[in-house]
Amino acid sequence: MARKIIKKRGKKVGAAPGTLVHIGEKSSMGANIRVIDYDQEHLTDTRIHAPDMCGSYRDSHSVSWINIDGVHQTEVIENLGKSFGLHPLVMEDILNTDQRPKVESYEDYLYIVIKMLLYDEVRHETRTEQVSLILGRHFVLSFQEFSGDVFEGVRERLRSGRRIRFMGTDYLAYALLDAIVDHYFILLEKFGDQVEILEEELIADPTPATLAKIHHFKREMLLLRKAVWPLREVLSSLTREENPQISAETRLFLRDVYDHTIHVIDTVETLRDLLAGMLDIYLSSISNRMNEIMKVLTIMATIFIPLTFIAGVYGMNFEHMPELAWPWAYPAVLLLMLGVAGGLLVFFRRKNWL
């Protein structure tokens, strides 16, 4: 079954602004909270079961990365929001997993929405997951719909004590954005391989299954474009607008992520154009195949029309037909019919119709 491009919002209709209602796919797992607290010399990685325990990291002197897997539990989001002073509209957007990538600036934090894309090797399709980032002075909150992400490289860099440990929360937020965007390239490489295989199949022997694959990948490219295209505006805003939460040095790194995003968008558009061309090739191939079939049938019908006329003439039961009394009339008529058919075949060959 094809995935829905637009998620249902029936529960939100008529609700007051700031009403906390989850929109999206619900998980059977409970919310999982993981806190990585670090500075230049120390790092702790802990699991927290009670959201109220996270409030102590709000004003700590170290950098705290609090990751929440599972935004379907509204009470967890509400408790965390109260602990960190989040606006009700921000908590509402976190629960609404159909948000467009965007960035919003508040008094003491930034709210960033981005789409994390994962590739399903079996079904050859993407799994789109919304990631919400809250960038504060001493903390970064990341909200994910499900467990499993592309941030393991960032965690490894934190554990190994590299440069990221000497930077602030803005650099941590940059690292998370960079990890998501870099994973887009892996996704596009896999789609590119599948499109190349599909192109070879289209040239060799197109079938109705080939058409279904073309439509499948066109839909995937549409979902990719929807997820990636608005990200250009987000990163452009982060790199150009002055914001106290982001240092000038980090803006240079964000500019690199912006360049990667432009590259991703160009690749997506190239694949979309290639798939559109493949659809035209498929339709042309089917049309040419139908034309060849109709040409063969037309030639056969053209050959048999005069033969049918001759057989019809001598099939009339008139009494006075002199040819009926000839001893060699039957073979003569057969030779005449054979000559007419052969003559037509020679004519078609000279016209290059055969």
Side-chain angles (χ1 to χ4, degrees):
M1 180 182 294
R3 294 167 295 158
K4 291 184 178 294
I5 297 179
I6 301 176
K7 297 182 180 179
K8 295 182 178 180
R9 300 170 177 248
K11 296 180 180 179
K12 289 290 294 181
V13 176
T19 303
L20 301 185
V21 177
H22 176 254
I23 296 176
E25 184 179 350
K26 290 188 177 182
S27 173
S28 58
M29 304 295 292
N32 182 18
I33 304 176
R34 181 178 182 180
V35 179
I36 299 180
D37 187 76
Y38 64 92
D39 55 23
Q40 298 179 10
E41 299 179 354
H42 303 91
L43 181 143
T44 60
D45 188 349
T46 57
R47 304 277 183 176
I48 294 180
H49 300 286
D52 298 336
M53 298 173 61
C54 299
S56 59
Y57 295 100
R58 178 178 179 180
D59 298 318
S60 63
H61 296 289
S62 56
V63 176
S64 301
W65 173 20
I66 304 174
N67 181 76
I68 300 92
D69 293 335
V71 298
H72 56 283
Q73 293 187 338
T74 57
E75 62 277 5
V76 173
I77 305 302
E78 184 176 9
N79 291 335
L80 279 171
K82 291 179 180 178
S83 299
F84 288 89
L86 302 184
H87 195 280
L89 292 178
V90 172
M91 292 187 284
E92 179 186 9
D93 289 346
I94 292 173
L95 291 170
N96 182 3
T97 60
D98 195 29
Q99 289 291 326
R100 186 176 186 265
K102 64 178 181 177
V103 57
E104 295 178 351
S105 178
Y106 289 83
E107 184 178 354
D108 55 352
Y109 62 87
L110 280 177
Y111 173 51
I112 304 172
V113 178
I114 188 172
K115 298 294 184 179
M116 181 169 62
L117 305 177
L118 302 174
Y119 186 74
D120 189 334
E121 296 282 355
V122 178
R123 304 175 68 179
H124 300 299
E125 66 181 22
T126 56
R127 178 168 66 87
T128 305
E129 181 178 344
Q130 177 172 300
V131 176
S132 298
L133 299 178
I134 305 293
L135 171 58
R137 183 178 179 182
H138 298 290
F139 63 88
V140 172
L141 304 179
S142 58
F143 298 87
Q144 304 181 46
E145 296 184 56
F146 311 100
S147 60
D149 52 39
V150 298
F151 299 144
E152 192 56 39
V154 178
R155 298 186 182 98
E156 181 59 33
R157 288 158 60 189
L158 286 171
R159 287 190 290 265
S160 61
R162 297 182 185 177
R163 176 176 182 172
I164 190 173
R165 290 269 292 273
F166 296 84
M167 307 294 286
T169 55
D170 56 343
Y171 191 87
L172 174 60
Y174 147 74
L176 299 179
L177 293 173
D178 185 57
I180 293 175
V181 174
D182 283 348
H183 198 75
Y184 290 167
F185 288 104
I186 299 176
L187 185 72
L188 290 174
E189 287 175 3
K190 294 181 178 180
F191 270 121
D193 293 339
Q194 293 298 320
V195 170
E196 288 180 3
I197 295 173
L198 182 60
E199 187 176 21
E200 294 176 358
E201 179 182 337
L202 178 65
I203 295 174
D205 184 24
T207 63
T210 306
L211 179 61
K213 292 179 182 178
I214 293 175
H215 282 296
H216 169 75
F217 285 114
K218 281 177 65 68
R219 185 181 180 88
E220 291 299 312
M221 289 301 108
L222 179 62
L223 292 171
L224 278 173
R225 189 178 188 276
K226 180 183 177 183
V228 177
W229 188 268
L231 185 58
R232 180 177 61 175
E233 302 174 9
V234 173
L235 293 170
S236 176
S237 175
L238 291 175
T239 55
R240 296 180 181 180
E241 296 180 5
E242 295 289 337
N243 193 290
Q245 305 297 337
I246 301 178
S247 64
E249 182 179 4
T250 303
R251 278 200 292 270
L252 293 177
F253 290 100
L254 287 171
R255 190 182 304 170
D256 182 64
V257 183
Y258 175 80
D259 293 338
H260 291 174
T261 303
I262 297 300
H263 188 187
V264 170
I265 292 174
D266 290 342
T267 305
V268 170
E269 293 300 319
T270 300
L271 290 176
R272 290 182 72 233
D273 293 341
L274 183 59
L275 287 168
M278 291 171 65
L279 181 60
D280 293 337
I281 293 174
Y282 175 82
L283 295 176
S284 298
S285 176
I286 296 300
S287 178
N288 290 336
R289 182 182 298 179
M290 182 61 68
N291 289 338
E292 289 295 325
I293 294 174
M294 293 304 298
K295 183 175 73 173
V296 172
L297 294 177
T298 302
I299 289 174
M300 292 177 62
T302 304
I303 292 175
F304 277 95
I305 284 175
L307 304 184
T308 304
F309 172 75
I310 295 173
V313 169
Y314 287 100
M316 294 184 293
N317 295 321
F318 292 120
E319 182 178 354
H320 301 287
M321 292 185 69
E323 294 88 350
L324 297 179
W326 292 355
W328 299 97
Y330 178 69
V333 171
L334 291 180
L335 288 175
L336 174 63
M337 296 173 69
L338 183 61
V340 171
L344 288 174
L345 288 174
V346 172
F347 176 76
F348 293 151
R349 176 68 68 180
R350 289 184 177 180
K351 290 289 185 178
N352 293 324
W353 292 353
L354 287 177

